[in-house]
Amino acid sequence: MSGPETGTDNKSPMLKINRLIHEPARFSIMAQLSVVEEADFLFLSRRIGLTKGNLSAHMRKLEDEGYVEVKKGFMGRRPHTALAITEEGRRAFKAYLSDLKKVLQVF
Amino acid sequence: MNQSFDEKELERETFIDSTQDGLMELLMGVSMIGVAAASKSLLFIPLFIVPLVLGRQIAESVRRRLTYPRIGYVKLKEEPAGEAIGGVLLYEFIILMVSAAFIWILYGDAMEFRVWASWSSLITAVLLLGLFLYLHDKSGEKRYLAVGVLSVLTGLVFSVIRFDLAFPYLFGYFGPGVVLYFLLMGILMLFSGIVQLMGFVSQNPVSAEE
């Protein structure tokens, strides 16, 4: 599995969990972005129930890890920022779900 | 432990959330009324062709001004165009073949134009049922199933009742049953779209963050 906070294969399933994604707000962001092409801050903050500042902080961590990309453009004449999950993010999220399932089987 | 994750359910919630403005129903309604109106005059053809061909672009343009400033922007995942078109064509082919088989069994001739014309509202309704089933699958909303069933029942009623003896001049190019079917379903969809749109605008003020 990829990601800095994940372990190697010889660790127990619990220790392999990707902690960056495991945080509830970031999990919600990854889950929401995994089912759409892209969305903006307003849509995500409304769906997930986070303030814009809180969302920005979590988004930055996911962006630093390469899980989420920020697309800056224009909607009409207004500047507009859309967010999308990257291929790496999609892989990490799938792996996280798989690891979580293994943990649940252990317990 | 973290939240559970049901991908299909989240996709459905997102679909419902992003289409709550009623624009989809509104455009469908205009298009269906357009078909009925085109039976009286070909001048009305753009009324159903434009929403059919440019519906997505029209909806996107309206959503940029009306929807996104209120609930935010989202682009849903799209099925590959080839798969979608292939699926629609296959469904329509199957329905037409089944219709031909029924007509052949009932009348002994599957090529008789009058028979096809008299059952055209039911056949159209079954063809459109595919759309409502698709919307039900995308959203999980039972109202789309209800509209699909209502649509088929309406099509059946307008196929069975013989209107053409009473007012043949009213229905121009098409049979009266299919015209009335499109008119009734179009009005229903348009009304549903307008009610949804009004509710959406009143319940979702423009975000201060915009």
Side-chain angles (χ1 to χ4, degrees):
Chain A
M1 187 172 33
S2 63
E5 297 182 65
T6 59
T8 53
D9 282 346
N10 56 3
K11 286 185 177 175
S12 76
M14 193 66 190
L15 295 174
K16 284 173 70 184
I17 286 287
N18 185 327
R19 291 184 201 172
L20 189 72
I21 298 176
H22 193 61
E23 200 284 327
R26 290 194 289 271
F27 172 87
S28 299
I29 294 168
M30 293 294 283
Q32 185 61 66
L33 286 178
S34 73
V35 299
V36 300
E37 291 270 333
E38 57 186 39
D40 68 4
F41 268 90
L42 175 58
F43 188 85
L44 284 174
S45 63
R46 205 176 49 80
R47 290 281 309 163
I48 297 165
L50 292 174
T51 63
K52 199 175 175 186
N54 216 341
L55 181 61
S56 290
H58 288 298
M59 198 60 78
R60 202 158 31 248
K61 288 183 181 176
L62 292 169
E63 192 187 356
D64 288 346
E65 202 52 48
Y67 291 170
V68 165
E69 64 176 320
V70 177
K71 299 174 175 179
K72 290 193 183 293
F74 284 87
M75 187 167 283
R77 289 181 210 163
R78 287 179 176 182
H80 184 256
T81 305
L83 308 150
I85 194 167
T86 60
E87 269 311 307
E88 191 184 345
R90 203 173 289 281
R91 275 196 299 273
F93 188 58
K94 272 187 183 170
Y96 166 81
L97 291 174
S98 169
D99 290 340
L100 191 63
K101 204 173 170 183
K102 285 175 194 161
V103 169
L104 291 172
Q105 281 167 353
V106 168
F107 293 100
Chain B
M1 198 50 64
N2 224 319
Q3 303 97 318
S4 61
F5 178 62
D6 184 341
E7 188 176 356
K8 181 77 177 172
E9 190 53 38
L10 188 57
E11 272 180 354
R12 284 175 161 178
E13 282 175 17
T14 308
F15 180 85
I16 293 169
D17 197 26
S18 65
T19 56
Q20 60 177 302
D21 52 21
L23 282 175
M24 191 171 58
E25 280 86 351
L26 211 146
L27 286 168
M28 279 167 68
V30 169
S31 191
M32 288 172 128
I33 291 171
V35 175
S39 74
K40 282 298 287 178
S41 168
L42 295 179
L43 287 173
F44 289 108
I45 282 181
L47 205 58
F48 78 86
I49 291 290
V50 170
L52 208 65
V53 177
L54 298 174
R56 183 173 289 190
Q57 288 84 344
I58 294 169
E60 181 63 22
S61 174
V62 175
R63 282 186 173 135
R64 283 184 178 195
R65 292 159 199 265
L66 192 90
T67 310
Y68 302 152
R70 287 177 163 79
I71 61 166
Y73 160 83
V74 63
K75 186 178 178 190
L76 300 173
K77 277 185 186 171
E78 292 172 3
E79 290 113 49
E83 274 181 35
I85 293 169
V88 170
L89 290 177
L90 179 66
Y91 175 78
E92 293 187 353
F93 177 76
I94 290 170
I95 296 301
L96 290 174
M97 287 298 106
V98 170
S99 303
F102 268 105
I103 286 173
W104 182 74
I105 291 166
L106 289 172
Y107 300 92
D109 183 3
M111 302 300 284
E112 179 60 52
F113 176 76
R114 279 187 192 177
V115 177
W116 279 93
S118 67
W119 288 100
S120 57
S121 54
L122 178 60
I123 295 167
T124 306
V126 177
L127 288 172
L128 283 176
L129 179 65
L131 174 67
F132 295 119
L133 290 176
Y134 171 78
L135 290 174
H136 169 67
D137 181 61
K138 289 288 279 185
S139 66
E141 292 265 293
K142 285 182 180 162
R143 70 190 165 103
Y144 289 118
L145 276 186
V147 174
V149 170
L150 178 71
S151 162
V152 171
L153 289 176
T154 307
L156 178 65
V157 168
F158 288 149
S159 284
V160 171
I161 295 174
R162 295 282 168 253
F163 298 95
D164 44 346
L165 296 174
F167 306 107
Y169 57 89
L170 279 177
F171 299 101
Y173 304 104
F174 309 138
V178 76
V179 172
L180 286 172
Y181 165 80
F182 272 114
L183 192 61
L184 193 75
M185 290 305 296
I187 290 169
L188 179 78
M189 297 303 289
L190 185 67
F191 181 73
S192 164
I194 289 170
V195 169
Q196 280 186 68
L197 185 62
M198 287 169 68
F200 171 76
V201 170
S202 68
Q203 286 167 19
N204 297 281
V206 173
S207 169
E209 290 175 7
E210 270 296 301

